[in-house]
Amino acid sequence: MAVTGVGAVNLGQLAQLYRAQVAGGVQGVGGTAGTDAAAATRGADFGNVVKNGLSNLENLDRAAQGKAIQAATGDLTDIHDYVIAATQAQTATELTTTVRNKALEAFNEIMRMPL
Amino acid sequence: MFDALSVSGTGMGVHQKWMDALSDNIANINTARPTSESAFRARWVVAQSIEDGGTGRGVQVAGIELGSTEGRLVYSPDHPLADARGYVRMPDIDLGEQMSDLILAQRGYQMNIASLDRVRASYQAAIQMGRG
């Protein structure tokens, strides 16, 4: 950690210093390394849940639109198929909206906590 | 995700096919054929359950069976298709049986719709509970 002089600052060394300091700081606090890892996995799981939910919703919506086109052109032999596809898409949309609202509410609740 | 909705959908599909077959039978109840050919054969829809080891996936049409070829020999000598002795072959379809089957098919279709409504209302109630 040799400081060469005020005029000649080595940026590479500064970056290494900064990185070493950050790494040292995290390990220094102790138990937070474990909770950070747990929080990271929880965050990744919830993110996956939301992603899967949205892709499922997109598939249901696409299926409903396909059935609607078939019904309009007269190709639909089973008329209840369109209604069922539309109901599934609508219920999935409402469920996704409710999940988002609840997650947002919980996040705001935590952010409002006085520290 | 919404298995109960798809299951009700399959039920409605099979009952609709049944109604199609029944209306075809009723439409052809007076289809006469010469005695040299087989009579108009009634259509029977064979329903088969879709098994998946769990709560089941509904029902599907396994096939369409045809009824008897004998028919009834009816004496009508003025008929253009009558044979030398004056007989034509009419289908052996009992109209009363077909009409009561039609009522069964209609009620089955309505029951599947009722089940779908109940399931959809339950899902909506669950989402409303999450909203409050």
Side-chain angles (χ1 to χ4, degrees), chain B residues 5-97:
Chain B
L5 295 178
S6 316
V7 165
S8 294
T10 61
M12 285 200 263
V14 167
H15 281 87
Q16 185 178 325
K17 280 272 179 297
W18 193 12
M19 283 198 278
D20 288 345
L22 286 168
S23 46
D24 184 61
N25 289 345
I26 293 174
N28 279 303
I29 200 132
N30 285 321
T31 303
R33 297 240 180 99
T35 41
S36 51
E37 294 176 9
S38 63
F40 171 79
R41 307 174 73 182
R43 300 196 199 284
W44 299 88
V45 173
V46 178
Q48 181 189 52
S49 66
I50 305 174
E51 298 293 336
D52 72 335
T55 50
R57 285 246 164 279
V59 67
Q60 66 188 355
V61 173
I64 308 271
E65 297 291 325
L66 296 176
S68 80
T69 60
E70 284 302 311
R72 296 176 293 126
L73 289 177
V74 174
Y75 182 71
S76 55
D78 295 329
H79 202 281
L81 294 175
D83 64 0
R85 291 177 301 145
Y87 283 98
V88 288
R89 208 185 281 277
M90 301 289 280
D92 189 16
I93 299 176
D94 180 14
L95 192 58
E97 190 184 332

Side-chain angles (χ1 to χ4, degrees), chain A residues 77 80 84 87-88 94 98 102, chain B residues 6 9 13 16 120 124 127 130:
Chain A
T77 48
H80 51 266
I84 289 176
T87 308
Q88 285 176 331
E94 287 185 19
T98 308
K102 282 293 165 200
Chain B
S6 316
Q16 185 178 325
R120 190 168 53 91
Q124 293 284 354
I127 293 176

